[in-house]
Amino acid sequence: MAGDATAAAATAPTGTGRRGRSTDQGRSGHGHGRRVRATYPGAAPAAGGVVCLLAVRRRRRWLALLAAVAALLIVGPPAAAHPRVTVVAGGLDNPRGLGFAPDGSLYVAEAGRGGSGPCFEGPEGPACFGASGAVTRLRHGHQTRVVTGLPSSAAPDGSSAIGPSDVAAGHDGTFVTVGLGANPALRDQVPALGDMGQLVRISRRGSTRLVADLGDFEAEANPDGGLPDSNPNSVLAGGRFQVVADAGGNSLLRVSAKGKVSVLATFPDRMVAAPPFLGLPPGTQIPMQSVPTSVVRGPDGAYYVGELTGFPFQVGAARVHRVVPGHKPKVVATGFTNIIDLAFGKDRRLYVLEIAHNGLLSGDQTGALIRVGSHGSRKLLLSTGLVMPGGLAIRGDHAYVSNCGVCAGTGTVLRVALH
């Protein structure tokens, strides 16, 4: 399977971006106020597996192995049998990022379950596309899908989807990132993907409008200098602007109210030992990407960014970066594995959510919720019952975790007592 994944990494389409679009302020704001399409005709390549959840560069950059890892995993319903854990929402389709609104409502980004097609036989198997992405709201004990019809692609059974990846609700509005996980040029070849790789805003009536096309920005600016790839995976509402972690572009982006995109930081590769199963000479070093999956604002006003890491997904290699605009990112916490989200609690401590506590190559679906203490110490708060979790939010004395983030119809939101 590892060999197949490596082969798949060498078959990614190439290109320079969507034709006919510029990258200046007008381009970034192009279509501002445009309603996102709700139907997606045409054919498209497969985008199954965890590769859809996380940003990857498939050619030479190793990250396509995420898809193969997902194929190894047997996805099943979560089992939250812990006295401090309560299921507060269920029946979700590939639930990912979470965000509280000022009124206390909790919003959940659902990546959807794909649809009836078009379908395509890709390197990881068939994937089907449809307008099944959604945003769910939990308020006063009631669960309601307040936005539907967003783009989604998934395996034929609806699992391991890519689509809405995070939601941030603030006084200035509610914003949703829609993932892509590919070279933005693919959208020229496959019109079905035209509304992916974007930041959109939700109106009070539930309609969505484009704020910025982050795929276009990646195609033209390519901040980290690698192969073009975009997968907006996390959004932070910042008042007059939003901050987005593009896991495909290995970048942290600032998006103004008018849709102008600028770069706050990039996260370079690290050279690490090649895993033995690649059959390379002993001591061979290969590049491992950062893959920033999450961004939150800390009590000190700085941005904190968690990284998944790319192939070979070394256990304990994921880090948390502190980003102050105008300065290089600084690593402030280490020793994690495959971080998928971050949050700060009322105790001002950092909480880290791992999608795979034992590593994406282990075949173990178990995630973990970890509290970071003083001097970088770590305390495992919860692992049993976490099944490839997709998002984290904290309110009061409780953490909220979207669980089974690659499951269609059986995803849940868990409330976890922190004290």
Side-chain angles (χ1 to χ4, degrees):
M1 181 62 70
D4 293 340
T6 304
T11 62
T14 60
T16 58
R18 303 183 74 178
R19 295 183 296 275
R21 297 192 179 188
S22 63
T23 58
D24 57 15
Q25 180 172 351
R27 188 276 312 152
S28 296
H30 176 72
H32 182 67
R34 174 170 64 90
R35 188 177 302 276
V36 176
R37 295 191 298 274
T39 58
Y40 305 89
V50 179
V51 67
C52 299
L53 168 61
L54 308 165
V56 295
R57 298 167 192 262
R58 294 184 179 177
R59 183 190 298 266
R60 189 190 58 182
R61 307 286 284 181
W62 304 101
L63 293 178
L65 192 59
L66 282 168
V69 172
L72 287 170
L73 301 177
I74 301 174
V75 176
H82 193 285
R84 298 188 300 123
V85 177
T86 305
V87 177
V88 296
L92 301 173
D93 290 331
N94 292 270
R96 305 288 163 77
L98 307 169
F100 277 100
D103 67 358
S105 298
L106 179 62
Y107 289 84
V108 186
E110 294 183 76
R113 55 168 64 215
S116 59
C119 299
F120 186 87
E121 186 67 30
E124 302 92 23
C128 296
F129 292 77
S132 58
V135 176
T136 285
R137 182 182 64 203
L138 306 177
R139 183 164 64 183
H140 305 309
H142 298 286
Q143 175 180 334
T144 307
R145 278 193 175 118
V146 294
V147 180
T148 58
L150 296 175
S152 172
S153 65
D157 64 357
S159 65
S160 302
I162 184 169
S165 54
D166 196 16
V167 57
H171 293 288
D172 55 336
T174 301
F175 298 86
V176 177
T177 46
V178 181
L180 175 63
N183 187 327
L186 182 62
R187 301 182 302 178
D188 281 335
Q189 306 166 31
V190 185
L193 301 180
D195 290 329
M196 304 183 85
Q198 298 181 344
L199 175 67
V200 300
R201 181 173 180 167
I202 304 173
S203 73
R204 292 183 178 180
R205 295 184 178 181
S207 62
T208 53
R209 296 185 182 276
L210 176 68
V211 177
D213 192 315
L214 303 175
D216 273 357
F217 182 80
E218 168 67 14
E220 298 293 341
N222 193 11
D224 78 332
L227 293 174
D229 190 287
S230 182
N231 196 20
N233 198 67
S234 179
V235 58
L236 173 65
R240 292 174 295 176
F241 58 90
Q242 287 71 51
V243 177
V244 175
D246 189 332
N250 292 323
S251 58
L252 187 67
L253 306 175
R254 182 186 189 274
V255 183
S256 74
K258 294 184 178 180
K260 182 178 180 180
V261 184
S262 57
V263 180
L264 292 174
T266 58
F267 305 91
D269 297 354
R270 285 180 280 167
M271 299 302 294
V272 299
F277 63 76
L278 290 181
L280 299 175
T284 298
Q285 298 277 300
I286 62 174
M288 181 177 72
Q289 293 189 53
S290 173
V291 191
T293 53
S294 48
V295 56
V296 295
R297 188 186 292 274
D300 57 357
Y303 301 116
Y304 288 76
V305 178
E307 62 182 10
L308 177 84
T309 73
F311 179 86
F313 316 114
Q314 290 183 336
V315 174
R319 306 167 298 179
V320 177
H321 301 260
R322 182 178 183 267
V323 177
V324 176
H327 299 268
K328 290 185 178 180
K330 179 181 179 180
V331 175
V332 294
T334 61
F336 303 98
T337 302
N338 305 140
I339 296 172
I340 193 63
D341 210 352
L342 303 173
F344 278 93
K346 71 175 187 178
D347 55 5
R348 299 172 66 89
R349 293 185 180 182
L350 178 65
Y351 292 77
V352 176
L353 183 66
E354 298 176 337
I355 189 173
H357 186 52
N358 295 312
L360 285 167
L361 294 186
S362 69
D364 184 352
Q365 294 178 290
T366 306
L369 177 62
I370 298 168
R371 182 169 60 216
V372 181
S374 58
H375 308 295
S377 64
R378 300 183 301 276
K379 181 178 180 180
L380 179 64
L381 300 180
L382 181 66
S383 185
T384 301
L386 290 184
V387 181
M388 300 203 80
L392 170 67
I394 294 179
R395 188 174 180 86
D397 293 325
H398 292 87
Y400 294 77
V401 177
S402 58
N403 203 25
C404 211
V406 294
C407 302
T410 58
T412 62
V413 174
L414 306 179
R415 185 177 64 215
V416 183
L418 297 177
H419 302 287

mmCIF file with all atom_site columns, all heavy atoms in Angstrom, residues 368-380:
data_model
loop_
_atom_site.group_PDB
_atom_site.id
_atom_site.type_symbol
_atom_site.label_atom_id
_atom_site.label_alt_id
_atom_site.label_comp_id
_atom_site.label_asym_id
_atom_site.label_entity_id
_atom_site.label_seq_id
_atom_site.pdbx_PDB_ins_code
_atom_site.Cartn_x
_atom_site.Cartn_y
_atom_site.Cartn_z
_atom_site.occupancy
_atom_site.B_iso_or_equiv
_atom_site.pdbx_formal_charge
_atom_site.auth_seq_id
_atom_site.auth_comp_id
_atom_site.auth_asym_id
_atom_site.auth_atom_id
_atom_site.pdbx_PDB_model_num
ATOM 1  N N   . ALA A 1 368 ? -6.475 11.946 20.004 1.00 0.00 ? 368 ALA A N   1
ATOM 2  C CA  . ALA A 1 368 ? -6.124 12.318 21.367 1.00 0.00 ? 368 ALA A CA  1
ATOM 3  C C   . ALA A 1 368 ? -6.371 13.799 21.589 1.00 0.00 ? 368 ALA A C   1
ATOM 4  O O   . ALA A 1 368 ? -6.166 14.622 20.689 1.00 0.00 ? 368 ALA A O   1
ATOM 5  C CB  . ALA A 1 368 ? -4.667 11.985 21.669 1.00 0.00 ? 368 ALA A CB  1
ATOM 6  N N   . LEU A 1 369 ? -6.802 14.120 22.806 1.00 0.00 ? 369 LEU A N   1
ATOM 7  C CA  . LEU A 1 369 ? -6.930 15.500 23.259 1.00 0.00 ? 369 LEU A CA  1
ATOM 8  C C   . LEU A 1 369 ? -5.900 15.714 24.358 1.00 0.00 ? 369 LEU A C   1
ATOM 9  O O   . LEU A 1 369 ? -5.873 14.973 25.352 1.00 0.00 ? 369 LEU A O   1
ATOM 10 C CB  . LEU A 1 369 ? -8.338 15.772 23.792 1.00 0.00 ? 369 LEU A CB  1
ATOM 11 C CG  . LEU A 1 369 ? -8.588 17.167 24.368 1.00 0.00 ? 369 LEU A CG  1
ATOM 12 C CD1 . LEU A 1 369 ? -8.400 18.239 23.296 1.00 0.00 ? 369 LEU A CD1 1
ATOM 13 C CD2 . LEU A 1 369 ? -9.985 17.255 24.973 1.00 0.00 ? 369 LEU A CD2 1
ATOM 14 N N   . ILE A 1 370 ? -5.042 16.714 24.187 1.00 0.00 ? 370 ILE A N   1
ATOM 15 C CA  . ILE A 1 370 ? -3.895 16.918 25.065 1.00 0.00 ? 370 ILE A CA  1
ATOM 16 C C   . ILE A 1 370 ? -3.869 18.357 25.560 1.00 0.00 ? 370 ILE A C   1
ATOM 17 O O   . ILE A 1 370 ? -4.130 19.290 24.784 1.00 0.00 ? 370 ILE A O   1
ATOM 18 C CB  . ILE A 1 370 ? -2.580 16.608 24.313 1.00 0.00 ? 370 ILE A CB  1
ATOM 19 C CG1 . ILE A 1 370 ? -2.560 15.143 23.879 1.00 0.00 ? 370 ILE A CG1 1
ATOM 20 C CG2 . ILE A 1 370 ? -1.366 16.935 25.158 1.00 0.00 ? 370 ILE A CG2 1
ATOM 21 C CD1 . ILE A 1 370 ? -1.465 14.810 22.895 1.00 0.00 ? 370 ILE A CD1 1
ATOM 22 N N   . ARG A 1 371 ? -3.581 18.533 26.835 1.00 0.00 ? 371 ARG A N   1
ATOM 23 C CA  . ARG A 1 371 ? -3.405 19.869 27.394 1.00 0.00 ? 371 ARG A CA  1
ATOM 24 C C   . ARG A 1 371 ? -1.914 20.153 27.567 1.00 0.00 ? 371 ARG A C   1
ATOM 25 O O   . ARG A 1 371 ? -1.166 19.333 28.090 1.00 0.00 ? 371 ARG A O   1
ATOM 26 C CB  . ARG A 1 371 ? -4.105 20.001 28.743 1.00 0.00 ? 371 ARG A CB  1
ATOM 27 C CG  . ARG A 1 371 ? -3.979 21.417 29.349 1.00 0.00 ? 371 ARG A CG  1
ATOM 28 C CD  . ARG A 1 371 ? -4.897 21.598 30.541 1.00 0.00 ? 371 ARG A CD  1
ATOM 29 N NE  . ARG A 1 371 ? -4.594 20.647 31.606 1.00 0.00 ? 371 ARG A NE  1
ATOM 30 C CZ  . ARG A 1 371 ? -5.531 20.082 32.386 1.00 0.00 ? 371 ARG A CZ  1
ATOM 31 N NH1 . ARG A 1 371 ? -6.806 20.382 32.216 1.00 0.00 ? 371 ARG A NH1 1
ATOM 32 N NH2 . ARG A 1 371 ? -5.182 19.235 33.340 1.00 0.00 ? 371 ARG A NH2 1
ATOM 33 N N   . VAL A 1 372 ? -1.502 21.337 27.097 1.00 0.00 ? 372 VAL A N   1
ATOM 34 C CA  . VAL A 1 372 ? -0.103 21.735 27.207 1.00 0.00 ? 372 VAL A CA  1
ATOM 35 C C   . VAL A 1 372 ? 0.069  22.547 28.483 1.00 0.00 ? 372 VAL A C   1
ATOM 36 O O   . VAL A 1 372 ? -0.618 23.562 28.692 1.00 0.00 ? 372 VAL A O   1
ATOM 37 C CB  . VAL A 1 372 ? 0.333  22.562 25.983 1.00 0.00 ? 372 VAL A CB  1
ATOM 38 C CG1 . VAL A 1 372 ? 1.804  22.947 26.095 1.00 0.00 ? 372 VAL A CG1 1
ATOM 39 C CG2 . VAL A 1 372 ? 0.083  21.774 24.697 1.00 0.00 ? 372 VAL A CG2 1
ATOM 40 N N   . GLY A 1 373 ? 0.972  22.115 29.332 1.00 0.00 ? 373 GLY A N   1
ATOM 41 C CA  . GLY A 1 373 ? 1.215  22.804 30.582 1.00 0.00 ? 373 GLY A CA  1
ATOM 42 C C   . GLY A 1 373 ? 2.397  23.747 30.500 1.00 0.00 ? 373 GLY A C   1
ATOM 43 O O   . GLY A 1 373 ? 2.911  24.051 29.412 1.00 0.00 ? 373 GLY A O   1
ATOM 44 N N   . SER A 1 374 ? 2.832  24.210 31.637 1.00 0.00 ? 374 SER A N   1
ATOM 45 C CA  . SER A 1 374 ? 3.991  25.097 31.686 1.00 0.00 ? 374 SER A CA  1
ATOM 46 C C   . SER A 1 374 ? 5.236  24.365 31.223 1.00 0.00 ? 374 SER A C   1
ATOM 47 O O   . SER A 1 374 ? 5.372  23.152 31.393 1.00 0.00 ? 374 SER A O   1
ATOM 48 C CB  . SER A 1 374 ? 4.186  25.622 33.107 1.00 0.00 ? 374 SER A CB  1
ATOM 49 O OG  . SER A 1 374 ? 4.349  24.545 34.016 1.00 0.00 ? 374 SER A OG  1
ATOM 50 N N   . HIS A 1 375 ? 6.118  25.105 30.590 1.00 0.00 ? 375 HIS A N   1
ATOM 51 C CA  . HIS A 1 375 ? 7.388  24.565 30.101 1.00 0.00 ? 375 HIS A CA  1
ATOM 52 C C   . HIS A 1 375 ? 7.186  23.441 29.082 1.00 0.00 ? 375 HIS A C   1
ATOM 53 O O   . HIS A 1 375 ? 8.057  22.575 28.927 1.00 0.00 ? 375 HIS A O   1
ATOM 54 C CB  . HIS A 1 375 ? 8.258  24.057 31.255 1.00 0.00 ? 375 HIS A CB  1
ATOM 55 C CG  . HIS A 1 375 ? 8.441  25.056 32.350 1.00 0.00 ? 375 HIS A CG  1
ATOM 56 N ND1 . HIS A 1 375 ? 9.109  26.257 32.172 1.00 0.00 ? 375 HIS A ND1 1
ATOM 57 C CD2 . HIS A 1 375 ? 8.005  25.060 33.646 1.00 0.00 ? 375 HIS A CD2 1
ATOM 58 C CE1 . HIS A 1 375 ? 9.097  26.945 33.295 1.00 0.00 ? 375 HIS A CE1 1
ATOM 59 N NE2 . HIS A 1 375 ? 8.432  26.259 34.209 1.00 0.00 ? 375 HIS A NE2 1
ATOM 60 N N   . GLY A 1 376 ? 6.025  23.444 28.401 1.00 0.00 ? 376 GLY A N   1
ATOM 61 C CA  . GLY A 1 376 ? 5.803  22.496 27.324 1.00 0.00 ? 376 GLY A CA  1
ATOM 62 C C   . GLY A 1 376 ? 5.389  21.109 27.749 1.00 0.00 ? 376 GLY A C   1
ATOM 63 O O   . GLY A 1 376 ? 5.336  20.193 26.922 1.00 0.00 ? 376 GLY A O   1
ATOM 64 N N   . SER A 1 377 ? 5.083  20.905 29.027 1.00 0.00 ? 377 SER A N   1
ATOM 65 C CA  . SER A 1 377 ? 4.626  19.583 29.458 1.00 0.00 ? 377 SER A CA  1
ATOM 66 C C   . SER A 1 377 ? 3.286  19.257 28.822 1.00 0.00 ? 377 SER A C   1
ATOM 67 O O   . SER A 1 377 ? 2.519  20.149 28.440 1.00 0.00 ? 377 SER A O   1
ATOM 68 C CB  . SER A 1 377 ? 4.513  19.540 30.982 1.00 0.00 ? 377 SER A CB  1
ATOM 69 O OG  . SER A 1 377 ? 3.523  20.454 31.434 1.00 0.00 ? 377 SER A OG  1
ATOM 70 N N   . ARG A 1 378 ? 3.000  17.974 28.691 1.00 0.00 ? 378 ARG A N   1
ATOM 71 C CA  . ARG A 1 378 ? 1.768  17.530 28.027 1.00 0.00 ? 378 ARG A CA  1
ATOM 72 C C   . ARG A 1 378 ? 1.005  16.563 28.929 1.00 0.00 ? 378 ARG A C   1
ATOM 73 O O   . ARG A 1 378 ? 1.608  15.670 29.532 1.00 0.00 ? 378 ARG A O   1
ATOM 74 C CB  . ARG A 1 378 ? 2.085  16.850 26.695 1.00 0.00 ? 378 ARG A CB  1
ATOM 75 C CG  . ARG A 1 378 ? 2.816  17.740 25.706 1.00 0.00 ? 378 ARG A CG  1
ATOM 76 C CD  . ARG A 1 378 ? 3.051  17.036 24.373 1.00 0.00 ? 378 ARG A CD  1
ATOM 77 N NE  . ARG A 1 378 ? 3.828  15.816 24.538 1.00 0.00 ? 378 ARG A NE  1
ATOM 78 C CZ  . ARG A 1 378 ? 5.155  15.774 24.588 1.00 0.00 ? 378 ARG A CZ  1
ATOM 79 N NH1 . ARG A 1 378 ? 5.848  16.897 24.511 1.00 0.00 ? 378 ARG A NH1 1
ATOM 80 N NH2 . ARG A 1 378 ? 5.789  14.625 24.704 1.00 0.00 ? 378 ARG A NH2 1
ATOM 81 N N   . LYS A 1 379 ? -0.310 16.736 28.989 1.00 0.00 ? 379 LYS A N   1
ATOM 82 C CA  . LYS A 1 379 ? -1.166 15.816 29.737 1.00 0.00 ? 379 LYS A CA  1
ATOM 83 C C   . LYS A 1 379 ? -2.254 15.291 28.810 1.00 0.00 ? 379 LYS A C   1
ATOM 84 O O   . LYS A 1 379 ? -3.017 16.059 28.231 1.00 0.00 ? 379 LYS A O   1
ATOM 85 C CB  . LYS A 1 379 ? -1.815 16.514 30.932 1.00 0.00 ? 379 LYS A CB  1
ATOM 86 C CG  . LYS A 1 379 ? -2.699 15.574 31.751 1.00 0.00 ? 379 LYS A CG  1
ATOM 87 C CD  . LYS A 1 379 ? -3.296 16.259 32.966 1.00 0.00 ? 379 LYS A CD  1
ATOM 88 C CE  . LYS A 1 379 ? -4.171 15.285 33.765 1.00 0.00 ? 379 LYS A CE  1
ATOM 89 N NZ  . LYS A 1 379 ? -4.758 15.943 34.956 1.00 0.00 ? 379 LYS A NZ  1
ATOM 90 N N   . LEU A 1 380 ? -2.310 13.984 28.660 1.00 0.00 ? 380 LEU A N   1
ATOM 91 C CA  . LEU A 1 380 ? -3.336 13.354 27.840 1.00 0.00 ? 380 LEU A CA  1
ATOM 92 C C   . LEU A 1 380 ? -4.663 13.376 28.580 1.00 0.00 ? 380 LEU A C   1
ATOM 93 O O   . LEU A 1 380 ? -4.800 12.780 29.646 1.00 0.00 ? 380 LEU A O   1
ATOM 94 C CB  . LEU A 1 380 ? -2.933 11.908 27.515 1.00 0.00 ? 380 LEU A CB  1
ATOM 95 C CG  . LEU A 1 380 ? -3.916 11.102 26.670 1.00 0.00 ? 380 LEU A CG  1
ATOM 96 C CD1 . LEU A 1 380 ? -4.063 11.712 25.284 1.00 0.00 ? 380 LEU A CD1 1
ATOM 97 C CD2 . LEU A 1 380 ? -3.464 9.649  26.561 1.00 0.00 ? 380 LEU A CD2 1
#
